[in-house]
Amino acid sequence: MGERATGTEGPGPGGMRPWRFVVWFGLVSLLADFVYEGARSVTGPLLASLGASALVVGVVTGAGEAAALGLRLVSGPLADRTRRFWGLSIAGYALTVLSVPPLGVVGVLWAACALVVAERVGKAVRSPAKDTLLSHATAATGRGRGFAVHEAMDQVGALVGPLTVAGVLALTGGAYGPALGVLAAPGAAVLGLLLWLRARVPDPEAYERQASAPAEAPPDGRLPAAFWTYAAFTAATTAGFATFGVLSYHLVQRHLMTAPWVPVLYAAAMAVDAVAALATGWLYDRTGPRVLAVLPVLAAAVPALAFTHTIGPAVAGALVWGAATGIQESTLRATVADLVPSPRRATAYGVFAGVVGAASLAGGALTGALYGRSVPLLVTVVAAIQALALVLLAVTGPRRA
């Protein structure tokens, strides 16, 4: 890759500077996170109220994450082939924001499970295209910082959404219908803002062309070898990562926290997410991917803390979960953009997510099943998986091109 951007870029397409594009796109994600993170903050208790067991919660939330990641194997290459990055982004966001409000009123477990997965499918449709659009602007702002600022803005929505849901739950005596119904308004704003931004900046790739000479894809069309070794590390650390659905199930079923307080904890975890994203993004632009060594350490600490029978450590485990999630959602994505040239980048994001999606499904099912069997065994297995991830990073870790 070329020399790192310094952030002193000039005007881009449509007269909008790269940092302004990053911020406006961050606002789109802020509003979208308001919607779907508000819903995800109560997924565990909601499914439990409809009769789901810990295993069902783990499988459904894991399957949702697998859908959000694995289906990008299709949407990524489709985005590269058609170059319709804006169209796929808008379609994916539309599916997400339309799936959430009905979740609180369907009243039967199978339908609620279907909507949980549908919301995640919307993320699968949009994410490779969206990340590619963002990667073009971050070529000028700095990959780590650009993706970190975007993620931090995500988490503002992820903070406000759960708090809004918690407030409505408290006011209505735990009624999920009104709590999720209020999320329709920010959902409509997402679509309006996307349409405006597309009209203003129809070709964000111009940012990257202005920042540096465009890199050519390998002549055989294959993804770089460094990308595959990096994907192996990420898959290993994700396979031992608990979902918040299982964490919240534990908190409510063990009577450590009532359902209206779960979104408050989720909001706090999202605040930690934002701080972790900004910190690791800043370090990434200075030290490179070695900063990712902290991720397996955090992932191993989550079940050891969260699945205790005392409120203090359990809350600490949820906050550590937030820190690990912030790194996953920002710095991991920034590294992909640095490893793969623009002509194959959406495909890379799709393949990367597909690999991680399989690991996410395994992780959700693993933590759900072992939680019901033996928490000490769960803690031990997750620690072993994360130790393997550290070895993979040390042996085959990515290097900046």
Side-chain angles (χ1 to χ4, degrees):
M1 295 294 173
E3 192 172 314
R4 311 296 295 176
T6 63
T8 58
E9 72 286 338
M16 184 178 290
R17 293 178 180 271
W19 267 121
R20 289 191 64 194
F21 181 84
V22 169
V23 170
W24 277 113
F25 220 141
L27 182 58
V28 170
S29 291
L30 184 156
L31 293 168
D33 274 44
F34 190 135
V35 177
Y36 68 78
E37 298 290 14
R40 291 179 74 199
S41 70
V42 293
T43 295
L46 172 61
L47 296 181
S49 74
L50 297 175
S53 66
L55 177 59
V56 170
V57 173
V59 170
V60 170
T61 54
E65 293 308 307
L69 297 168
L71 290 178
R72 299 182 209 185
L73 287 166
V74 177
S75 62
L78 178 64
D80 273 338
R81 185 170 62 252
T82 64
R83 312 306 288 176
R84 294 182 177 178
F85 300 112
W86 278 119
L88 287 167
S89 297
I90 293 169
Y93 275 114
L95 179 56
T96 287
V97 301
L98 292 174
S99 297
V100 167
L103 185 59
V105 296
V106 291
V108 292
L109 181 58
W110 71 264
C113 291
L115 286 170
V116 168
V117 175
E119 182 272 308
R120 298 282 83 190
V121 169
K123 189 172 181 68
V125 171
R126 71 178 180 265
S127 288
K130 179 204 73 173
D131 286 344
T132 301
L133 292 173
L134 183 61
S135 75
H136 296 319
T138 61
T141 64
R143 300 282 191 208
R145 286 171 291 174
F147 275 94
V149 167
H150 181 268
E151 172 65 9
M153 293 187 69
D154 268 5
Q155 299 323 304
V156 174
L159 178 68
V160 174
L163 290 177
T164 301
V165 169
V168 177
L169 283 174
L171 290 173
T172 61
Y176 288 107
L180 298 177
V182 299
L183 302 177
V190 167
L191 299 181
L193 185 55
L194 273 171
L195 292 172
W196 172 81
L197 193 56
R198 180 182 65 176
R200 183 71 184 275
V201 188
D203 180 27
E205 192 171 2
Y207 291 125
E208 190 160 351
R209 291 194 297 267
Q210 292 174 3
S212 61
E216 296 294 332
D220 58 5
R222 296 179 181 178
L223 295 171
F227 165 80
W228 291 108
T229 57
Y230 176 64
F233 153 74
T234 310
T237 194
T238 304
F241 193 64
T243 67
F244 191 82
V246 178
L247 301 187
S248 60
Y249 180 93
H250 170 79
L251 289 167
V252 173
Q253 294 301 108
R254 296 293 180 178
H255 305 291
L256 298 177
M257 186 175 288
T258 59
W261 279 102
V262 171
V264 177
L265 177 60
Y266 188 82
M270 293 299 97
V272 174
D273 175 317
V275 173
L278 289 170
T280 56
W282 184 86
L283 287 170
Y284 175 81
D285 282 341
R286 285 155 180 77
T287 67
R290 72 187 68 175
V291 70
L292 294 172
V294 72
L295 180 55
V297 176
L298 293 175
V302 170
L305 293 168
F307 295 133
T308 58
H309 299 291
T310 306
I311 185 63
V315 168
L319 297 180
V320 172
W321 176 89
T325 301
I327 299 170
Q328 288 181 328
E329 292 295 326
S330 59
T331 312
L332 291 185
R333 291 156 55 209
T335 306
V336 172
D338 270 342
L339 291 173
V340 182
S342 179
R344 296 284 289 164
R345 194 171 297 154
T347 297
Y349 275 120
V351 172
F352 178 76
V355 171
V356 177
S360 179
L361 176 58
L366 177 70
T367 54
L370 290 181
Y371 172 83
R373 186 181 182 92
S374 169
V375 170
L377 178 60
L378 169 60
V379 172
T380 302
V381 170
V382 170
I385 294 172
Q386 298 308 324
L388 173 62
L390 278 173
V391 171
L392 286 171
L393 182 63
V395 173
T396 63
R399 299 290 185 268
R400 281 179 180 166

